[in-house]
Amino acid sequence: MCMKYGISLPNGWKMSLVDVKDPVDAYETMTNVAKAADETGFESVWLVDHFHTVPKPTQEVTFECMMSLAALARDTKRVRIGQIVACNSYRNPALLAKMASTLDVLSHGRLNFGIGAGWYEHEYRAYGYPFPDAPERLKMLREALQVIHAMWEQEEATFEGKYYQIRGAINQPKGVQKPHIPILIGGGGEKVTLKLVAQYGDACNVGGDRQTLQHKLDVLKQHCETVGRDFSSIHCTTGAYCSIADTDAEALALVPEGARNGLHELSLVGSPETIRQRIAILEEMGIHEIIIDFPSSTDLTPLYRFAKEFIA
């Protein structure tokens, strides 16, 4: 297996564009990262689906995911694009399937479709969406995945559920990729989310330290066995913060104070040799792709160095 690498693009959600005051310049900053990834051999670029910044809502720029991906599809030529992940509750799933089909065509078949149950309560309340409890949001996600499959596989899609109904919905074009656009389901919930991956997903995105990540993959493997799914057919991804320098100490010093609490033994922070060792651990665990969060949206030096060190 050859490890693949993606990049989590700076759309403003994590206050990543606060130093760029003009919104047009902020977009160009974001797309410049995507273009650099495209040129240097990264596998994919990803956008979160959020409306307000974290750790608290502010007036800072936060670009909408689906519209931005449409532009990024035309700004890039080779790299795959995707949501990490789209919030099911923010758009009717039949419409979301239609939007994704269009995106796949705009990108000439480069879309990874990411979806999850949603969690950011402040956004729900602010935008006027109901915020049901987690079990109900997961039930909605289960129905949504069936709706999306129907929209991509049936000529006149039908589905009758508790939360969603479609009756003869036509979705043309259905996208470029066959048999359909790959679906990545985000989240590590062991009883429901990972079971949904086994049933409806082509890829997963799980995170955590070494012990947690290994446990999540083991749970997913068990769900695959239960539903009769080949675990090896699922593309397993995880996220990682990356700061690269000549020494481990220099790399750690480059990490902003607010990001240090999230670091663990698998974070890609250190010298090239240290990072190489951590990538080897992730690869041995069964991770196929690492989606990287670089410290700066404007300084592309770490991105270029990572590409030089790790991408053939």
Side-chain angles (χ1 to χ4, degrees), residues 7 32-33 36-37 40 42 242-246 254 294-310:
I7 294 179
N32 282 343
V33 179
T40 53
F42 282 85
C242 180
S243 176
I244 185 170
D246 291 339
L254 294 172
F294 286 107
S296 173
S297 59
T298 54
D299 181 8
L300 299 180
T301 304
L303 183 156
Y304 286 118
R305 181 167 185 181
F306 187 93
K308 182 179 179 180
E309 294 279 356
F310 300 104

Side-chain angles (χ1 to χ4, degrees), residues 139-213:
K139 291 175 184 176
M140 296 172 72
L141 177 60
R142 177 183 294 278
E143 285 195 7
L145 288 163
Q146 295 173 75
V147 168
I148 291 163
H149 270 282
M151 292 291 290
W152 290 347
E153 296 165 5
Q154 300 174 16
E155 293 300 304
E156 295 186 5
T158 60
F159 178 80
E160 291 289 335
K162 177 180 178 180
Y163 303 101
Y164 307 114
Q165 301 82 37
I166 50 174
R167 296 157 182 149
I170 296 172
N171 177 31
Q172 295 294 347
K174 294 187 181 299
V176 175
Q177 300 176 83
K178 304 300 180 185
H180 57 71
I181 301 162
I183 298 175
L184 179 149
I185 300 173
E190 297 176 15
K191 293 182 179 180
V192 179
T193 304
L194 293 178
K195 186 176 182 180
L196 292 177
V197 175
Q199 292 175 311
Y200 301 108
D202 303 290
C204 67
N205 181 256
V206 290
D209 59 23
R210 184 172 183 175
Q211 181 178 359
T212 301
L213 185 56

Side-chain angles (χ1 to χ4, degrees), residues 208-228:
D209 59 23
R210 184 172 183 175
Q211 181 178 359
T212 301
L213 185 56
Q214 185 63 68
H215 176 66
K216 299 296 183 183
L217 294 173
D218 290 342
V219 170
L220 176 57
K221 184 180 292 185
Q222 182 59 56
H223 282 308
C224 287
E225 292 175 1
T226 300
V227 303

Side-chain angles (χ1 to χ4, degrees), residues 2-307:
C2 182
M3 182 66 78
K4 297 178 179 180
Y5 304 100
I7 294 179
S8 179
L9 296 177
N11 78 325
W13 179 56
K14 292 183 179 179
M15 308 291 287
S16 53
L17 296 171
V18 293
D19 295 328
V20 187
K21 298 307 179 184
D22 183 88
V24 174
D25 291 341
Y27 174 76
E28 294 300 330
T29 298
M30 177 175 69
T31 196
N32 282 343
V33 179
K35 291 175 180 177
D38 199 35
E39 295 163 359
T40 53
F42 282 85
E43 172 72 13
S44 56
V45 295
W46 305 79
L47 281 180
V48 297
D49 185 23
H50 286 295
F51 309 145
H52 292 171
T53 58
V54 290
K56 63 180 181 180
T58 71
Q59 293 297 317
E60 296 296 336
V61 165
T62 309
F63 288 109
E64 194 277 328
C65 176
M66 300 298 287
M67 292 292 290
S68 298
L69 284 175
L72 292 168
R74 305 303 292 174
D75 285 349
T76 56
K77 302 299 181 186
R78 180 201 56 81
V79 73
R80 296 186 66 81
I81 63 172
Q83 309 91 344
I84 195 76
V85 288
C87 175
N88 173 58
S89 310
Y90 293 166
R91 304 165 191 87
N92 176 281
L95 173 61
L96 187 57
K98 175 72 173 176
M99 295 169 76
S101 298
T102 299
L103 262 176
D104 199 43
V105 173
L106 293 181
S107 65
H108 297 188
R110 292 185 285 127
L111 178 65
N112 293 324
F113 176 77
I115 190 169
W119 61 271
Y120 198 177
E121 182 175 359
H122 188 279
E123 289 178 337
Y124 279 80
R125 303 297 187 197
Y127 274 72
Y129 296 128
F131 187 69
D133 61 21
E136 187 167 12
R137 296 200 308 277
L138 287 165
K139 291 175 184 176
M140 296 172 72
L141 177 60
R142 177 183 294 278
E143 285 195 7
L145 288 163
Q146 295 173 75
V147 168
I148 291 163
H149 270 282
M151 292 291 290
W152 290 347
E153 296 165 5
Q154 300 174 16
E155 293 300 304
E156 295 186 5
T158 60
F159 178 80
E160 291 289 335
K162 177 180 178 180
Y163 303 101
Y164 307 114
Q165 301 82 37
I166 50 174
R167 296 157 182 149
I170 296 172
N171 177 31
Q172 295 294 347
K174 294 187 181 299
V176 175
Q177 300 176 83
K178 304 300 180 185
H180 57 71
I181 301 162
I183 298 175
L184 179 149
I185 300 173
E190 297 176 15
K191 293 182 179 180
V192 179
T193 304
L194 293 178
K195 186 176 182 180
L196 292 177
V197 175
Q199 292 175 311
Y200 301 108
D202 303 290
C204 67
N205 181 256
V206 290
D209 59 23
R210 184 172 183 175
Q211 181 178 359
T212 301
L213 185 56
Q214 185 63 68
H215 176 66
K216 299 296 183 183
L217 294 173
D218 290 342
V219 170
L220 176 57
K221 184 180 292 185
Q222 182 59 56
H223 282 308
C224 287
E225 292 175 1
T226 300
V227 303
R229 176 79 180 274
D230 180 5
F231 174 71
S232 67
S233 69
I234 294 175
H235 186 71
C236 297
T237 75
T238 193
Y241 190 90
C242 180
S243 176
I244 185 170
D246 291 339
T247 69
D248 291 355
E250 289 174 328
L252 183 59
L254 294 172
V255 179
E257 194 67 34
R260 294 189 181 188
N261 289 338
L263 301 181
H264 51 74
E265 73 271 31
L266 293 180
S267 298
L268 304 185
V269 175
S271 67
E273 181 55 32
T274 295
I275 291 175
R276 193 166 284 111
Q277 292 171 1
R278 294 176 180 179
I279 291 171
I281 292 171
L282 288 165
E283 192 167 8
E284 184 178 356
M285 293 172 68
I287 294 297
H288 304 111
E289 184 172 353
I290 304 171
I291 300 170
I292 297 172
D293 190 1
F294 286 107
S296 173
S297 59
T298 54
D299 181 8
L300 299 180
T301 304
L303 183 156
Y304 286 118
R305 181 167 185 181
F306 187 93

